[in-house]
Each structure stands twice: as structure tokens, then as C-alpha cells.
Amino acid sequence: MPDADVERAETLLHIGDPIRGRQWQTALPDLVPNLDVRQWPDIGDSATIRYLAAWNPPEGVFAALPNLEVVFSVGAGVDHIDFAAVPKFIPVIRMTEPGLTQGVVEYATFAVLALHRGMLRYFDLQRNADWIAAEAVPTSTRRVGVLGLGILGGAIARHLVTLSFPVSGWSRSARQIDGVTSFAGSAALPAFLAETDILVCILPLTSDTRGILGAEIFAALPQGASIVNIGRGDHLDEEALLSAMDDGHIAEAVLDVTRQEPLPPSHRFWNDPRILITPHIAGTTSVAGGATAIAENIRRYRSKMPLTGVVDRLAGY
Ligand code: GLV
């Protein structure tokens, strides 16, 4: 795409990991001409800041940037951004880049295979040097349901199909993905859950989805179903999970996200052999992929072309 001429001073302010900030200070100006990149809190002349890239923008930052024009989330999720503080005319862009998608697909595949092959039990047996083999069943008999069929959920579903799992997906509106049975809307949720042995949550966190992994959903899953949460900790009602496990209805869970992060050392999840905890590592924005994605949108913006990954503020993702 040809670059539109830019005569005015343009700065992108990065708020977040200073290492990534330094890497973007080198990478972005090579991809976008006439762009200065600054790392918070060293903002320089605030009047030149047109772009903000942040995960969790501090309170008051939007009011301090009078000429801000585009906000980029450095992650796929935008739940850390207080939309009420971002002027309505400023588009908020979520991160979509291949490295992040690949990470999430790898993690979901790992988690589904770990549950499918009974790995949590083997991890526990290993602690006692217990050699007890269980029979494995084919993937074709284990139904996986992906809750959230956007870019990330769609990529997960497509990959699981290649491993011969029967895969279905649920989303607000119907999606067409080869080999994946699509369920759409709240009315279809019970039917989707009834056919799901491993439920993978990759929903965005919104007021509609907060606490969605709760008693009602667990009860609608078949006996012995398991949960993978790579959405947000606030999707999960932690007490409801433990009680569904104690009842024997839900078997196991792989949780990459928790309500409180880091998960406090005293939390019950740490020592529960039915639960595998990882520290929010499923997908992270790669330096190069993130820079390319931001650069592409800045070029589009300068050329007055539609931006990609624009968040629908009403939907919240
Ligand atoms: C990670 O959780 C992200 O939103 O990218």
C-alpha cells in the first residue's frame, strides 16, 4: 500500500513492557515513515501523540493526550481499556497478529490433548512414583466445544479438527468453519454444551460473559466433562468449578487465567490435582507481528482506508 504523505509530527506512545517498547522504537519507524515512538512515562511533546499502544492504560491518560487519534490494544483482549474514558471518535483496535494466534492455538491444543490423554492424572501419579496406565480412547470419540468462535476461537477449532476431534463452536452469531458444527446465540447454548466433553473458553470478557463459566453451564455439560479457560479469569466462577468437581460432574480443568493474577500462593487451585494452572501464557503478542499489525493500521489510517480489528464498543470486543 503506498504511504500517504505525512507532514505533521506523529508519535506513537507505548505504555507497557519497556523491553517491547524499546524493540518497537527500533522496528516501527522502519515500517512507518515519519513516526516517532516513545515509551511511557517519557511522553515528550504530548501534542504530537496521535497513537497510543497499551494493555492497561493508566487512569487520566486519555485526558492528557489532546491529539490522540487511534488506540491500539497490545493484546487480543480490550477489557483492560476503560471505554468511557476514550473519546467516542477514537477507534480502539484489538491486536490481531499471527504469533498471538499461533500461541493460543498451541496452548489450546496442548490443553485439550492433556485432558484427552489423562495427563493431569499422570502428573499426579508421577509425584508418588506410581506407574498406573489407563486406556486411551480415540480423539474421534472426544467432543470438543469452543466457546467463542472469533479469530482465535476459529483458529483453535480448525486445528482441533485436524486431530480428528469432533469440534463444535458457539458464538453470538453463526460462523461457517469447515468441519466445525456452529451453534449461535443464547438459545443454542444448551444444545452446544450437551455435546461437549472438553469445553474451551476463548470468549472476550464483557458484561454478558463475566462469570459465564458457572454452575448453570457446568450442569449443562455431560457428566465427566472438563474445562479449558484461556479467556479471562473473570469468566470463571471459581467456587462453582470446585463444587462441580467435588460433585464429580466436572472432571478436570486447565486454567491459563485466574480472577486474581498472579494467583495467590494460598489459593486452593495450586494444589488441586484436578487443575492445571499456567500464568496467563497462552498467547502473547510477538514483537515483530505486533509491530507489523500496528504499522499496517497506521498506514491505512494515514491513507484514510478502513482500519482492521476495530472494536465494537457496544459489543465490548
Ligand atoms: C491476552 O490475554 C490477550 O488479550 O492478548
Side-chain angles (χ1 to χ4, degrees):
M1 181 192 312
D3 283 310
D5 286 340
V6 177
E7 277 157 24
R8 61 182 192 172
E10 290 203 342
T11 301
L12 177 136
L13 175 64
H14 176 253
I15 304 183
D17 177 14
I19 297 174
R20 178 171 48 211
R22 273 198 298 282
Q23 287 164 322
W24 280 358
Q25 270 171 326
T26 313
L28 272 168
D30 282 348
L31 299 170
V32 188
N34 301 322
L35 183 75
D36 184 28
V37 178
R38 300 193 81 101
Q39 173 69 23
W40 173 269
D42 171 26
I43 71 170
D45 176 4
S46 65
T48 68
I49 296 175
R50 316 285 174 177
Y51 312 108
L52 172 68
W55 167 250
N56 191 2
E59 218 184 310
V61 75
F62 296 105
L65 303 176
N67 295 323
L68 189 64
E69 293 176 15
V70 184
V71 172
F72 295 96
S73 167
V74 299
V78 290
D79 46 293
H80 289 92
I81 296 175
D82 173 13
F83 285 98
V86 187
K88 291 243 172 337
F89 60 87
I90 297 183
V92 177
I93 312 289
R94 64 173 169 273
M95 181 55 71
T96 49
E97 68 90 14
L100 176 63
T101 307
Q102 174 67 19
V104 166
V105 169
E106 285 171 10
Y107 186 94
T109 306
F110 152 78
V112 167
L113 285 172
L115 293 166
H116 168 63
R117 295 301 306 267
M119 288 298 161
L120 273 63
R121 182 174 152 271
Y122 290 121
F123 296 156
D124 196 38
L125 290 172
Q126 178 174 349
R127 281 181 209 118
N128 300 316
D130 268 340
W131 183 281
I132 306 174
E135 199 185 331
V137 300
T139 53
S140 58
T141 63
R142 188 88 65 190
R143 300 160 300 177
V144 182
V146 181
L147 202 47
L149 270 191
I151 293 176
L152 300 177
I156 292 170
R158 263 183 226 103
H159 190 67
L160 292 173
V161 166
T162 67
L163 297 174
S164 304
F165 288 106
V167 182
S168 57
W170 180 88
S171 46
R172 266 189 356 155
S173 43
R175 300 289 160 104
Q176 181 66 45
I177 300 178
D178 277 356
V180 177
T181 311
S182 166
F183 292 81
S186 8
L189 192 53
F192 162 76
L193 295 167
E195 292 175 20
T196 291
D197 300 312
I198 299 177
L199 179 67
V200 179
C201 173
I202 181 77
L203 287 167
L205 182 67
T206 67
S207 51
D208 288 339
T209 65
R210 190 175 298 273
I212 188 168
L213 298 177
E216 213 178 312
I217 274 198
F218 299 149
L221 289 166
Q223 169 82 24
S226 291
I227 311 291
V228 178
N229 191 14
I230 42 185
R232 288 286 181 261
D234 283 335
H235 282 130
L236 177 68
D237 179 338
E238 297 184 345
E239 288 308 313
L241 176 67
L242 289 169
S243 104
M245 286 179 152
D246 291 344
D247 292 348
H249 190 69
I250 297 296
E252 295 179 323
V254 177
L255 307 176
D256 184 50
V257 285
T258 50
R259 287 209 157 192
Q260 204 181 331
E261 294 182 4
L263 187 66
S266 59
H267 197 287
R268 285 166 63 194
F269 282 175
W270 282 119
N271 293 315
D272 193 320
R274 304 165 298 183
I275 298 176
L276 177 64
I277 294 286
T278 52
H280 202 145
I281 43 107
T284 39
T285 299
S286 76
V287 172
T292 305
I294 289 175
E296 170 68 12
N297 258 331
I298 293 179
R299 286 200 295 263
R300 284 174 167 268
Y301 183 75
R302 286 178 174 178
S303 308
K304 302 197 170 21
M305 291 178 64
L307 305 181
T308 58
V310 178
V311 172
D312 171 347
R313 287 184 181 224
L314 268 185
Y317 61 92

